[in-house]
Amino acid sequence: MRRISRGPVRGISFKLQEEERERRDNYVPEFSALDVSAIEIDPDTKDLLKALNFENLPGVQVTNPVAANADVRHRRPRKVEA
């Protein structure tokens, strides 16, 4: 059935291909990806929303961004030519 998902396949009936296409089109996920109770944004995004007059959206929480630290212990030492 994986080949059917890419497009029409020779040797397989159109009815079977259409049934597989209908099955994929009618799929409803168990949990919606759009159903989010709280959204975390950074202060810059909050300022952007305020500039667009969307500062009172429900469920929006401002959090401080966490800086990613590069771990220098995993670097190889440089070759020093003498």
Side-chain angles (χ1 to χ4, degrees):
M1 293 299 147
R2 185 173 285 172
R3 286 180 59 202
I4 292 175
S5 66
R6 294 186 190 136
V9 179
R10 275 185 69 152
I12 297 179
S13 70
F14 286 117
K15 182 180 177 185
L16 183 60
Q17 292 181 41
E18 190 61 32
E19 287 174 359
E20 181 68 18
R21 194 172 295 116
E22 283 289 324
R23 186 186 65 79
R24 280 186 280 120
D25 289 343
N26 293 331
Y27 173 74
V28 178
E30 201 170 320
F31 301 103
S32 174
L34 303 176
D35 185 22
V36 179
S37 60
I39 300 172
E40 294 181 356
I41 60 172
D42 63 344
D44 292 336
T45 307
K46 180 70 174 177
D47 293 340
L48 175 69
L49 289 174
K50 188 174 182 179
L52 296 172
N53 296 324
F54 286 108
E55 64 265 9
N56 295 326
L57 292 175
V60 176
Q61 299 172 351
V62 179
T63 59
N64 290 328
V66 178
N69 293 334
D71 195 2
V72 293
R73 289 179 284 167
H74 295 294
R75 293 184 183 170
R76 291 189 339 194
R78 293 183 179 177
K79 287 185 178 180
V80 178
E81 295 184 28

